[in-house]
Amino acid sequence: MLSRAVCGTSRQLAPVLGYLGSRQKHSLPDLPYDYGALEPHINAQIMQLHHSKHHAAYVNNLNVTEEKYQEALAKDVTAQIALQPALKFNGGGHINHSIFWTNLSPNGGGEPKGELLEAIKRDFGSFDKFKEKLTAASVGVQGSGWGWLGFNKERGHLQIAACPNQDPLQGTTGLIPLLGIDVWEHAYYLQYKNVRPDYLKAIWNVINWENVTERYMACKK
Amino acid sequence: LSPAVCGTSRHLAPVLGYLGSRQKHSLPDLPYDYGALEPHINAQIMQLHHSKHHAAYVNNLNVTEEKYQEALAKGDVTAQIALQPALKFNGGGHINHSIFWTNLSPNGGGEPKGELLEAIKRDFGSFDKFKEKLTAASVGVQGSGWGWLGFNKERGHLQIAACPNQDPLQGTTGLIPLLGIDVWEHAYYLQYKNVRPDYLKAIWNVINWENVT
């Protein structure tokens, strides 16, 4: 059907040629800063393990799972359903961490400005009250999971939520993710041990409000 | 009740349960030193795990039970249901860790003997196959949780299970817990980092088969 010339460039055309069954693999995004850039708030050893081991594993396992899913899609509903947990876990892990790295910055901290700050004041009363609520939601996760600031498109307001394990915010709740706080123990244990509240105190110093604002402005449209 | 009886109520609390007095839960002592399981599980992990994590479950369980007592007394069903997650989490955490410390020993490792070994061979084919299955179940927990060797009373056979977070085996599945493997990251991360399979390899060296038997 397609000429050889087109097939030869299929990797570039894969998004367009999706119906042919060729799939682009997911890849580990680069960290926008050095592993040590967020010190002393999150140390280099954590950042290196978190990015190059944990996130990398989600990416690899997601690609493997999608390959298997592609085969199951052609013939087997039971097999598809059996693959769902691995898809949600590794796919969610890849989505969540990809957002997380952009939510942090060595130049971060302080407070947001402009429309996002106004929305925070409107929906939570004040920036400090918002900070308290997101901190409480994150500290309170029982087990592994994430705290989130999300945008509720239906209601047009900001909302705080917590998700278990690697459940992605948008896929499981419909909220658009703006800012995520990873509270899996691997995110802080080497530095903060069992004292998750100290990690939460520290992470506010590296929140990239520019990125959170960009995400907010994009979903408000 | 006469003042004499009330004066001795603390000793009679288990008997006088109907009066509403409740004995608090307490952190069990570790049956060995924090460093006793080295090099398989290091002292820093054991100290944090026992004196911080387990201790917090005990304290929070006591607080939750106090609140639950009040809600129960008032017949406040909504409040009782709202307290359930905290009760399961902290209560499960206390139960699970209390079992775990006894499942481990500096003199552990090797294989069980006698009836337990026979049951393992009968229900899993061989000790090695059992070891593989429990290892796989524990490594495969997505997030925080526990791998378990349990006993199914109804069917009269051994069974491997995994539970999420601090969900206790018996309360959520009916299986009787024999041997638990904690795979929360706090159980191994300081020593094994992200390599949970290495922790699993190591922990078989300190399993207290006497206790499991």
Side-chain angles (χ1 to χ4, degrees):
Chain A
M1 220 184 341
L2 290 170
S3 74
R4 279 180 177 279
V6 178
C7 288
T9 54
S10 67
R11 205 169 298 149
Q12 274 107 1
L13 294 170
V16 180
L17 297 173
Y19 66 87
L20 285 180
S22 62
R23 212 172 38 74
Q24 291 208 314
K25 283 188 170 198
H26 301 279
S27 57
L28 180 66
D30 287 330
L31 213 58
Y33 34 79
D34 288 343
Y35 287 133
L38 304 183
E39 299 218 343
H41 311 293
I42 304 177
N43 73 25
Q45 190 187 23
I46 287 177
M47 292 303 292
Q48 177 161 20
L49 283 163
H50 205 172
H51 177 257
S52 71
K53 301 289 181 187
H54 290 273
H55 189 177
Y58 292 128
V59 171
N60 295 338
N61 293 332
L62 173 59
N63 285 327
V64 167
T65 304
E66 280 193 340
E67 282 279 343
K68 293 183 184 167
Y69 201 98
Q70 179 92 311
E71 293 169 25
L73 195 53
K75 47 180 167 128
D76 192 342
V77 174
T78 296
Q80 285 179 65
I81 292 170
L83 286 166
Q84 283 186 343
L87 200 294
K88 176 150 67 158
F89 184 65
N90 294 293
H94 179 40
I95 289 171
N96 294 337
H97 289 86
S98 299
I99 295 172
F100 191 48
W101 309 135
T102 70
N103 283 163
L104 306 174
S105 162
N107 309 118
E111 300 189 8
K113 303 189 294 280
E115 283 198 52
L116 178 57
L117 181 60
E118 289 318 300
I120 284 174
K121 287 178 178 174
R122 180 198 66 207
D123 295 332
F124 301 106
S126 70
F127 177 75
D128 280 341
K129 284 189 197 154
F130 149 73
K131 201 172 150 180
E132 264 178 59
K133 287 201 78 172
L134 181 51
T135 296
S138 304
V139 166
V141 170
Q142 293 180 342
S144 304
W146 292 70
W148 287 99
L149 170 65
F151 183 68
N152 183 326
K153 273 202 111 140
E154 234 180 291
R155 304 290 189 88
H157 64 202
L158 296 170
Q159 217 173 296
I160 280 165
C163 293
N165 301 324
Q166 294 296 353
D167 289 12
L169 185 70
Q170 191 167 358
T172 60
T173 71
L175 296 173
I176 315 293
L178 305 182
L179 167 61
I181 311 279
D182 188 349
V183 289
W184 278 64
E185 286 172 331
H186 65 238
Y188 61 90
Y189 207 87
L190 292 175
Q191 187 171 354
Y192 296 99
K193 310 297 188 297
N194 59 302
V195 195
R196 192 190 282 179
D198 282 357
Y199 159 66
L200 258 295
K201 276 203 211 92
I203 203 170
W204 289 105
N205 292 295
V206 290
I207 302 298
N208 183 353
W209 290 113
E210 273 177 40
N211 176 262
V212 183
T213 301
E214 263 174 53
R215 293 179 179 279
Y216 175 64
M217 299 307 287
C219 66
K220 252 171 25 88
K221 290 177 192 147
Chain B
L1 288 172
S2 73
V5 176
C6 289
T8 53
S9 66
R10 205 169 298 151
H11 304 278
L12 294 171
V15 179
L16 296 175
Y18 66 89
L19 286 182
S21 60
R22 212 174 37 74
Q23 292 211 312
K24 283 189 167 195
H25 301 278
S26 58
L27 180 67
D29 287 331
L30 213 57
Y32 35 77
D33 289 340
Y34 286 134
L37 305 182
E38 299 217 344
H40 311 294
I41 305 178
N42 74 25
Q44 190 188 24
I45 287 177
M46 292 305 291
Q47 178 160 20
L48 283 163
H49 204 172
H50 177 256
S51 72
K52 301 289 182 186
H53 290 275
H54 189 177
Y57 292 128
V58 172
N59 294 338
N60 293 332
L61 173 60
N62 285 328
V63 168
T64 304
E65 281 193 339
E66 283 278 346
K67 292 184 186 167
Y68 200 99
Q69 177 92 312
E70 290 169 26
L72 192 54
K74 290 189 230 151
D76 188 340
V77 175
T78 296
Q80 287 179 66
I81 292 169
L83 286 167
Q84 284 186 344
L87 199 297
K88 176 149 68 157
F89 185 65
N90 293 294
H94 179 39
I95 289 170
N96 294 337
H97 289 87
S98 298
I99 295 171
F100 191 48
W101 309 136
T102 69
N103 283 162
L104 307 174
S105 162
N107 309 119
E111 298 189 10
K113 305 190 290 281
E115 282 196 53
L116 178 57
L117 181 59
E118 289 319 301
I120 286 175
K121 287 175 175 173
R122 179 198 66 208
D123 296 332
F124 300 106
S126 70
F127 177 75
D128 281 340
K129 284 190 195 152
F130 150 72
K131 202 173 148 178
E132 265 179 57
K133 287 201 79 172
L134 181 51
T135 296
S138 304
V139 167
V141 170
Q142 291 179 343
S144 304
W146 292 70
W148 288 99
L149 170 65
F151 183 68
N152 184 327
K153 275 200 110 145
E154 233 179 291
R155 305 291 189 88
H157 64 204
L158 297 170
Q159 216 172 298
I160 280 164
C163 293
N165 301 323
Q166 293 298 353
D167 289 11
L169 183 71
Q170 191 168 356
T172 60
T173 71
L175 296 173
I176 313 295
L178 305 181
L179 167 61
I181 312 277
D182 188 348
V183 289
W184 278 63
E185 285 172 332
H186 64 240
Y188 62 89
Y189 207 88
L190 291 176
Q191 186 170 354
Y192 296 99
K193 309 299 188 295
N194 59 302
V195 196
R196 193 189 282 179
D198 281 358
Y199 159 66
L200 257 298
K201 276 205 211 91
I203 203 169
W204 289 104
N205 291 297
V206 289
I207 302 299
N208 182 354
W209 289 112
E210 276 178 37
N211 175 262
V212 182
T213 302

